[in-house]
Amino acid sequence: MAMPGHPTLHGKRLSHAGLLASVLGLAACAAPAGGPGHAGGNGSLRLDPLLFANRVTWGADSASVRQIEVDGAASYLEQQLRPGPAVLPAEVQAQIDAMTISRVPLPQLAAELAQQKMAADAAADDGARQAARQQLNQSLNTLAREAATRSLLRDLYSPRQLQEQMTWFWLNHFSVFQHKGPIRALLADYEDQLRAHALGRFRDLLGVTAHHPAMLHYLDNAQNAAGHINENYARELMELHTLGVDGGYSQRDVQELARVLTGVGIVHPAQLREQPAAAVREGLFEFNPRRHDNGEKTLLGQPLHAKGLAEVDEALDRLARHPATARFISRKLAQYFVGDEPPPRLVAAMADTFLRRDGQIADTLRTLFRSPEFAASLGRRFKDPMHYVVSAVRLAYDGKPILNAGPMLAWINRMGEPLYGHQTPDGYPLLSSAWASPGQMTTRFEIARAIGNGSAGLFRGEGLSPMARPAFPQLAGPLYYRHWQALISPATRQALDQAESPQEWNTFLLSSPDFMNR
C-alpha cells in the first residue's frame, strides 16, 4: 500500500515482525555506528540547521530549525548562550502557574511540611500516625512530581533550549537524590537556582549549591560541626564538583575543607523565627559560628586567611579557579556535547577559555561550539534517555502543548534516568555505552510506537473527554522532507519505505538509528 505523503514502497516487503526486528537491530547498532551524516568542520558555524538544532536544543522541531535558517547558526548560538527571560506558550505557563511549587514560597512550604510532620509524630495512636505520615509522604511526592513535570515542560517548550540543557547538565553534575529526607520539597527551588546560573560563572554556580539546603542535606553537611567533623560534602565537592578524582588533592585537603565547612547547615523550619546570635541566614541556609572550627587551616598547599563564613567563600574561590577544575569541567562539557572521548586538543582549548574568562560557562561553551571537533560530531552523539524522550515528543508534536507529562516521566524512569533519581552523588553516566543495551533499545521501540500511533496519553488531561485526544502525529511532513530525508541512512529509508501505515512509519522513524543520535 503506497501512502499519500509517504515514500513509495519498493523492493521485497518484509514481514511485520521481521521489519520491527530489523529496525530494532539497526537501533541497537546506533551508538557505535554513528548518526545521519555530519557537517563540514571548519569552525565557521556553516552547519546543517537540523543537525545543529538537534545538538543545541533538546531536539529539533520546526521552530528551532526555521530560526537557525533565518538567523544563521552563529546568531542562533549567541541568542542561546545569552538567554533573556523565557516566554512559554500560554497553555504551558498556565500548567506551571497552577502548581504548588509556583504558588508557595519555599520557606512557607517548608514550615507547613514541618508542621505536618510534627502533627503526624504527635498522633494519638499508631493508625492515625501512619495515616498522617502517608499523607506527608504524598505531599512530598506531589512536590517532586511537580518539579519534574515543570522541568520537562521547559525542556519541551522553552525558547531558551541551551539553558534548559545546561540546567539538566548541572543538576546531574551537582546531583541530589530526591528520596533522602525532605529533599523532594527542595527540588524546584534547587533547579531554579541552577537554571539562573546555568550559563553564567562557574564560581556562582558552585556557591549556589554550597548554600542550598538540598545539597547540604544530601551530603550531610548539616551535621558537620567543630569536634564532630563530617567529610562527606567536602570529599564530593573536590572529587565530583570541582577538581576531579585526579585533581591533585590529598586526604588532608579533604579534612581541611571539611573543617572549613563546619557550621554550614540548614535552618529547621520550626526555628525560622529563633535566629541564634551571630548566625547568618539566607532562607533555609544557615551559618552558625558556634558550630564552626575557627582553627588555622591550609587548603591545597596554601593557608586560608579569611575567618567564619568568608572562609568558605575563599575555599570555593580557590577550588573554582584551579586549573584542575577547568580541565575537569571542560572535559565533562565536551563529553556531553561532543562524544565519549572528547579530543584532548578541544578540552585544552576549553580549559584555557575557562581560566582566562574566570569560569564563564557561556564563553567555554562558545569555544566548544565553534570548534571543528564539534562540527564533525554532529549527528553522532548517542542520545541518553532524557534526550531520546524529549526529542521524540518535540519532533512528534512540534510545539503543540501536551497536557500530561506523566507518560514521559514513566518512560524516563523505565530507562533508568529519572529526574533527581540518582542515588549516588556522581550523577548519571554520560557515556553512550551506559544507555545502548538491547533492553534500552526495546524500551525505546515501545516508546516510539506509543508516540507514533498517538496512544501515549500525553493529551489525556483531567476532565477531558476521549474526543479531546489528538490524532497520531504526522512525522512525514515538511521537516522530514526538507531536512531529515537527505540525512537518514539507506537502511532506515528502506525500512520507512516498507511501513504499512503512517503510524508504523512514525514508529520506524523514531526507532531508527538516525533518530537515536543527536
Side-chain angles (χ1 to χ4, degrees):
M1 177 186 71
M3 294 174 295
H6 285 73
T8 306
L9 294 172
H10 63 80
K12 184 179 179 180
R13 188 188 298 278
L14 299 172
S15 70
H16 182 75
L19 196 52
L20 298 187
S22 174
V23 173
L24 277 172
L26 289 170
C29 298
H38 57 88
N42 59 7
S44 62
L45 288 187
R46 286 179 294 188
L47 305 169
D48 181 275
L50 185 132
L51 294 175
F52 189 57
N54 263 335
R55 188 68 64 81
V56 176
T57 76
W58 273 107
D61 63 0
S62 296
S64 60
V65 173
R66 186 166 53 248
Q67 192 178 348
I68 293 169
E69 284 185 305
V70 170
D71 297 342
S75 175
Y76 183 80
L77 176 62
E78 288 307 311
Q79 295 168 41
Q80 293 293 318
L81 288 172
R82 304 290 181 197
V87 179
L88 298 171
E91 303 96 312
V92 174
Q93 190 60 54
Q95 290 184 53
I96 293 175
D97 289 345
M99 295 176 179
T100 300
I101 57 173
S102 303
R103 294 183 287 104
V104 184
L106 178 58
Q108 180 184 337
L109 192 59
E112 290 175 1
L113 290 168
Q115 193 170 23
Q116 200 174 341
K117 183 176 185 307
M118 285 190 289
D121 292 343
D125 57 65
D126 290 346
R129 194 175 303 117
Q130 186 175 358
R133 286 176 177 168
Q134 285 177 347
Q135 190 173 5
L136 173 62
N137 194 47
Q138 183 56 46
S139 298
L140 290 169
N141 285 341
T142 298
L143 295 172
R145 188 179 176 87
E146 284 187 354
T149 298
R150 187 186 67 173
S151 189
L152 281 179
L153 289 174
R154 286 173 168 161
D155 293 345
L156 288 170
Y157 303 109
S158 172
R160 311 305 181 198
Q161 283 285 294
L162 184 58
Q163 183 183 38
E164 294 305 323
Q165 276 207 84
M166 288 306 299
T167 299
W168 185 92
F169 177 88
W170 294 123
L171 272 171
N172 195 48
H173 182 79
F174 297 106
S175 183
V176 298
F177 180 55
Q178 64 171 314
H179 293 296
K180 183 170 180 177
I183 288 178
R184 282 169 287 179
L186 306 170
L187 293 170
D189 186 77
Y190 186 60
E191 185 170 324
D192 279 344
Q193 300 291 328
L194 294 183
R195 177 177 290 101
H197 300 281
L199 288 163
R201 203 168 61 117
F202 180 75
R203 170 63 180 84
D204 297 333
L205 199 57
L206 191 65
V208 160
T209 58
H211 284 73
H212 203 280
M215 180 60 73
L216 297 175
H217 186 85
Y218 175 55
L219 290 179
D220 306 317
N221 208 75
Q223 287 81 50
N224 187 18
H228 302 280
I229 298 292
N230 187 312
E231 297 177 3
N232 201 11
Y233 180 40
R235 186 178 307 283
E236 308 305 359
L237 189 51
M238 300 180 98
E239 179 179 329
L240 299 176
H241 298 172
T242 56
L243 305 175
V245 68
D246 299 319
Y249 62 91
S250 65
Q251 172 59 21
R252 176 68 185 274
D253 288 316
V254 172
Q255 293 167 340
E256 291 290 275
L257 183 56
R259 291 177 59 214
V260 170
L261 291 167
T262 49
V264 172
I266 305 167
V267 185
H268 190 283
Q271 300 170 336
L272 276 170
R273 296 180 181 177
E274 305 166 7
Q275 183 166 346
V280 177
R281 285 186 173 179
E282 301 162 8
L284 296 179
F285 169 85
E286 178 181 84
F287 175 74
N288 187 341
R290 293 184 301 179
R291 293 165 58 84
H292 182 65
D293 180 340
N294 285 301
E296 296 298 321
K297 306 176 186 75
T298 299
L299 182 66
L300 299 173
Q302 298 293 324
L304 281 169
H305 301 293
K307 296 298 177 188
L309 183 57
E311 208 173 274
V312 177
D313 290 333
E314 187 175 332
L316 295 181
D317 285 344
R318 196 171 296 179
L319 291 171
R321 291 170 177 147
H322 197 284
T325 299
R327 289 191 296 271
F328 181 60
I329 298 300
S330 295
R331 188 176 192 283
K332 201 165 177 181
L333 285 168
Q335 204 170 44
Y336 183 69
F337 281 109
V338 172
D340 288 357
E341 295 296 333
R345 194 206 70 82
L346 172 62
V347 175
M350 293 171 65
D352 179 64
T353 301
F354 187 98
L355 288 173
R356 282 189 296 101
R357 299 291 298 151
D358 194 22
Q360 289 289 350
I361 298 160
D363 292 337
T364 306
L365 285 176
R366 187 178 290 104
T367 297
L368 182 155
F369 289 129
R370 287 186 167 277
S371 71
E373 291 89 348
F374 171 75
S377 75
L378 290 180
R380 295 172 174 272
R381 189 76 182 103
F382 188 65
K383 294 176 181 175
D384 62 22
M386 272 291 295
H387 274 104
Y388 179 73
V389 167
V390 177
S391 65
V393 174
R394 274 176 61 83
L395 179 67
Y397 292 105
D398 209 19
K400 181 179 175 61
I402 63 169
L403 300 176
N404 181 5
M408 295 179 71
L409 294 172
W411 294 332
I412 296 164
N413 192 45
R414 274 186 67 191
M415 289 191 285
E417 202 181 26
L419 281 158
Y420 334 116
H422 201 265
Q423 262 186 288
T424 52
D426 52 344
Y428 293 111
L430 300 180
L431 297 178
S432 302
S433 56
W435 309 110
S437 68
Q440 280 274 328
M441 294 303 112
T442 302
T443 303
R444 290 184 189 209
F445 181 78
E446 292 172 9
I447 295 167
R449 184 166 50 190
I451 295 174
N453 65 25
S455 65
L458 297 167
F459 295 89
R460 285 187 194 140
E462 290 183 9
L464 289 177
S465 70
M467 294 301 291
R469 291 171 53 190
F472 57 85
Q474 299 287 340
L475 294 181
L479 189 63
Y480 172 78
Y481 289 112
R482 189 170 176 191
H483 295 279
W484 270 103
Q485 190 175 36
L487 296 169
I488 62 175
S489 66
T492 295
R493 199 170 302 151
Q494 183 181 17
L496 292 174
D497 285 352
Q498 298 187 54
E500 295 183 347
S501 68
Q503 296 94 321
E504 198 172 75
W505 193 94
N506 292 341
T507 301
F508 290 168
L509 179 66
L510 296 177
S511 303
S512 70
D514 309 270
F515 189 76
M516 294 294 167
N517 287 308
R518 60 186 175 99

